[in-house]
């Protein structure tokens, strides 16, 4: 009896072992999808997905790819020299395109690829380096142009949705999304000029997105993507866009005159760290430009032997600590209007009225 029980147990163990060894082969034989799988119906897209799809379809024809080369050649895509690229926005039916100044700065040949695939030569209408903006004119495009819908940036709120369309790393017509992360950021564009009210977003922005649109959930332009902050140079969730209210004003002036006045008083200032090392809190005037508003108002730069004469410590009753703060105040005052400066000379403080001028028209020598 015991021997029979042992035999039964051994047989069952052999059967189980055989099944364990052959199971993968049997599964592959019986369950493999050797024919195309049946598609599972998915139902309707979510409302938010449909809205995003519609946004991209409506706006993407207004976004172009901008190419620029320092030296002109027979073909913009020849092997001669480096071609830099970015994004652009169709601004009006006349063929004006908005992009960043740094996308085309220092270049001699510019081309634009439309969403239709057409490649069109372009020329510079005007630039505003202090705002990192430029306006291009397309040369005889044959494809229909769709100007972008323009919104407002003054009423934006932190937390609302934001969408970016551009050409990161040359990958055309790329859509990313996020939110408005912060408002009223101040970022330097030049050594003495910063743009106020910059929009911060976590929508992925990478090299090549520069000059492309930042959009609200209605597909309206709320900013022009310009800057990222990243240790690697790639998106780190901190991107910045120039507010559309500034873009609207600057673009109109560039199209009308090719020039945007640069409010200033015509002073060359010492670097802020140099002033700090001397224990001075304010704008140290190194020299005044010839025939500038500052020179006409009697402000003086340092003497030939390095003796500091005038230091600007306030403007219109507010303290001034740096040249960028002074430039921001002068931008608010506007060309042709007066600003009241608080000036320190040799320990004596006085108030000086200066008429703000367009310093881009002054001799910088």
């Amino acid at each position: 009896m015991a021997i029979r029980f042992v035999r039964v147990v051994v047989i069952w163990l052999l059967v189980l072992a055989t099944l364990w060894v052959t199971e993968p082969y049997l599964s592959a034989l019986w369950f493999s999808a050797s024919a195309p799988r049946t598609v599972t119906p998915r139902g309707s897209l979510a409302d938010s997905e449909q809205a995003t799809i519609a946004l991209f379809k409506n706006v993407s024809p207004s976004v172009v790819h901008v190419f620029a080369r320092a030296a002109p050649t027979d073909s913009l895509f020849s092997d001669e020299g480096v071609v830099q690229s970015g994004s652009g926005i169709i601004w009006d039916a006349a063929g004006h395109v908005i992009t960043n100044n740094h996308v085309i700065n220092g270049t001699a040949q510019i081309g634009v690829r439309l969403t239709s695939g057409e490649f069109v030569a372009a020329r510079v209408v005007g630039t505003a380096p202090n705002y990192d903006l430029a306006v291009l004119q397309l040369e005889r495009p044959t494809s229909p142009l769709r100007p972008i819908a323009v919104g407002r940036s003054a009423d934006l709120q932190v937390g609302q949705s934001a969408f970016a369309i551009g050409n990161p790393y040359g990958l055309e017509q790329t859509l990313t999304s996020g939110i408005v992360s912060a408002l009223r950021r101040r970022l330097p564009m030049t050594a003495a000029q910063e743009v106020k009210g910059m929009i911060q977003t976590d929508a992925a922005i990478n090299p090549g997105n520069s000059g492309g649109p930042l959009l609200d959930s209605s597909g309206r332009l709320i900013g022009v993507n310009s800057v990222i902050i990243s240790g690697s140079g790639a998106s780190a969730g901190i991107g910045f866009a120039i507010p559309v209210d500034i873009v609207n004003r600057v673009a109109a002036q560039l199209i009308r005159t090719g020039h945007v006045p640069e409010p200033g008083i015509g002073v060359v200032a010492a670097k802020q760290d140099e002033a700090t090392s001397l224990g001075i809190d304010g704008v140290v005037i190194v020299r005044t430009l010839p025939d500038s508003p500052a020179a006409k108002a009697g402000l003086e730069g340092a003497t030939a032997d390095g003796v500091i004469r005038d230091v600007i410590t306030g403007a219109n009753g507010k303290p001034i600590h740096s040249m960028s703060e002074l430039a921001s105040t002068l931008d608010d005052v506007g060309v042709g209007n007066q600003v009241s400066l608080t000036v320190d000379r040799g320990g004596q403080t006085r108030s000086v009225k200066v008429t703000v001028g367009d310093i881009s028209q002054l001799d910088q020598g």
Side-chain angles (χ1 to χ4, degrees):
M1 191 72 179
I3 294 175
R4 185 177 180 183
F5 176 76
V6 170
R7 286 177 178 173
V8 171
V9 171
V10 169
I11 291 171
W12 274 107
L13 289 173
L14 289 173
V15 170
L16 292 173
T18 301
L19 291 174
W20 184 81
V21 171
T22 59
E23 186 274 335
Y25 303 99
L26 294 174
S27 295
L29 177 64
W30 292 335
F31 302 118
S32 290
S34 56
R37 291 285 312 279
T38 301
V39 176
T40 303
R42 62 142 290 151
S44 300
L45 293 171
D47 290 344
S48 60
E49 292 175 300
Q50 293 182 17
T52 301
I53 292 168
L55 180 149
F56 179 75
K57 287 181 178 179
N58 289 334
V59 180
S60 59
S62 302
V63 184
V64 300
H65 201 164
V66 178
F67 300 88
R69 185 194 293 277
T73 60
D74 292 338
S75 171
L76 195 59
F77 299 106
S78 69
D79 295 331
E80 301 176 25
V82 177
V83 174
Q84 58 195 51
S85 72
S87 303
I89 304 164
I90 296 177
W91 189 250
D92 58 28
H96 289 111
V97 170
I98 306 295
T99 188
N100 283 146
N101 180 63
H102 76 257
V103 171
I104 54 92
N105 186 40
T107 64
Q109 187 176 21
I110 302 171
V112 172
R113 178 177 288 137
L114 307 178
T115 54
S116 65
E118 180 184 2
F119 191 84
V120 184
R123 61 179 175 83
V124 177
V125 172
T127 63
N130 286 344
Y131 299 100
D132 194 22
L133 291 172
V135 175
L136 310 178
Q137 173 69 64
L138 300 179
E139 302 283 6
R140 299 182 183 278
T142 59
S143 302
L145 301 178
R146 184 184 294 183
I148 199 163
V150 175
R152 293 195 61 194
S153 51
D155 57 0
L156 292 177
Q157 299 184 61
V158 173
Q160 73 178 77
S161 297
F163 301 85
I165 301 178
N167 309 295
Y169 300 108
L171 301 172
E172 296 187 349
Q173 295 291 297
T174 298
L175 171 69
T176 56
S177 65
I179 61 171
V180 173
S181 303
L183 297 167
R184 293 179 290 278
R185 296 298 196 203
R186 302 168 73 104
L187 289 179
M189 290 298 169
T190 64
Q193 183 76 25
E194 60 184 13
V195 175
K196 300 175 294 182
M198 292 285 280
I199 304 164
Q200 181 181 331
T201 180
D202 67 349
I205 296 174
N206 287 288
N209 277 109
S210 294
L214 187 69
L215 309 160
D216 63 13
S217 56
S218 296
R220 302 181 311 161
L221 181 70
I222 58 173
V224 174
N225 298 317
S226 178
V227 181
I228 60 174
I229 293 181
S230 168
S232 65
S235 175
I238 303 178
F240 296 92
I242 304 161
V244 70
D245 292 350
I246 292 177
V247 177
N248 211 349
R249 172 173 58 84
V250 171
Q253 191 142 24
L254 287 177
I255 292 170
R256 188 167 59 249
T257 68
H259 170 72
V260 174
E262 184 180 342
I265 57 174
V267 297
V268 176
K271 295 180 179 179
Q272 189 173 358
D273 56 354
E274 294 175 349
T276 302
S277 67
L278 296 172
I280 299 174
D281 184 16
V283 175
V284 177
I285 299 177
V286 175
R287 63 186 176 91
T288 59
L289 301 180
D291 297 321
S292 66
K296 293 175 181 177
L299 297 181
E300 297 181 10
T303 63
D305 54 359
V307 176
I308 295 173
R309 295 287 287 165
D310 286 333
V311 178
I312 300 172
T313 59
N316 286 345
K318 297 181 180 179
I320 295 294
H321 307 287
S322 65
M323 188 62 192
S324 62
E325 288 185 358
L326 177 61
S328 177
T329 300
L330 299 179
D331 191 49
D332 289 338
V333 172
V335 173
N337 300 315
Q338 276 198 337
V339 61
S340 178
L341 300 179
T342 303
V343 180
D344 181 270
R345 178 185 292 180
Q348 299 295 318
T349 300
R350 71 189 195 280
S351 180
V352 179
K353 297 282 188 181
V354 184
T355 300
V356 179
D358 179 8
I359 61 173
S360 66
Q361 303 299 313
L362 295 177
D363 178 8
Q364 303 291 319

